[in-house]
Amino acid sequence: MTDSAVPDEDKWLGDIILRVKDPTGYEVDKATAAEIATNAQVQKAAHGPGIYLDRDHAEQMVKQAGEVLAALENDQSLTQSLERMQSAAQDPVSVGFTKAATWNGGQPGAFAYGAGHVRLEILYIKELIDRLNTALGRTTENDQNAGEAFKGARGGAG
């Protein structure tokens, strides 16, 4: 689901976002939201005693996980194309195959399941990379920018 208009408070009805839904895209968005929620529950339940890694091993894992993430993101563009595939013709066989492979009444078909699986793998790998980077003491660009802004504010106040 994509926003067709960005809210603009200066215009009439500016605070209303218009969205255009196609049936397949709507099902994909619902599935993506469900996959993110499921991943969040799994991550929340997974807090345990943890594991210990030496720095070199953790660095190597970040590198390898980044390579896997790049490959999965490439695969995601392919699987989403298959998931949103339209029927080649309007004959019963083509329509039946498309429904069985993509979305049939809100139920995922083979291609939709595959696309969902790739999305879950991406969420997992991103979480792994984030946790490894945190364990290595790395911060994201946003954290660095916030820290520098904070230093600037402290310096100006003193």
Side-chain angles (χ1 to χ4, degrees):
M1 182 172 14
T2 58
D3 289 341
S4 301
V6 177
D8 184 353
E9 282 73 25
D10 295 337
K11 295 186 179 180
W12 185 65
L13 298 177
D15 60 341
I16 296 176
I17 297 174
L18 301 176
R19 294 182 174 90
V20 177
K21 298 179 190 174
D22 64 79
T24 304
Y26 177 70
E27 296 298 340
V28 170
D29 291 338
K30 279 187 4 186
T32 300
E35 289 154 3
I36 289 170
T38 299
N39 186 60
Q41 289 175 342
V42 169
Q43 295 302 324
K44 191 181 267 186
H47 292 119
I51 58 171
Y52 296 93
L53 302 169
D54 62 74
R55 178 166 287 281
D56 291 339
H57 192 157
E59 295 277 0
Q60 191 63 22
M61 286 181 69
V62 169
K63 181 180 179 225
Q64 289 175 350
E67 292 168 1
V68 169
L69 179 61
L72 285 170
E73 286 173 340
N74 181 56
D75 291 347
Q76 183 179 30
S77 65
L78 299 171
T79 59
Q80 283 183 341
S81 297
L82 290 171
E83 181 181 29
R84 293 181 170 143
M85 173 180 74
Q86 299 295 315
S87 185
Q90 293 306 310
D91 63 278
V93 173
S94 296
V95 171
F97 171 77
T98 302
K99 282 184 178 181
T102 58
W103 289 92
N104 187 7
Q107 296 299 312
F111 293 162
Y113 269 117
H117 182 75
V118 171
R119 283 191 292 269
L120 282 173
E121 285 184 33
I122 288 172
L123 288 170
Y124 175 80
I125 293 292
K126 283 181 176 179
E127 180 73 20
L128 176 64
I129 291 170
D130 287 346
R131 288 183 183 209
L132 285 168
N133 280 326
T134 299
L136 287 166
R138 296 180 182 152
T139 58
T140 64
E141 187 176 321
N142 289 341
D143 292 339
Q144 291 169 354
N145 291 342
E148 289 178 21
F150 179 72
K151 285 179 190 174
R154 278 187 70 194

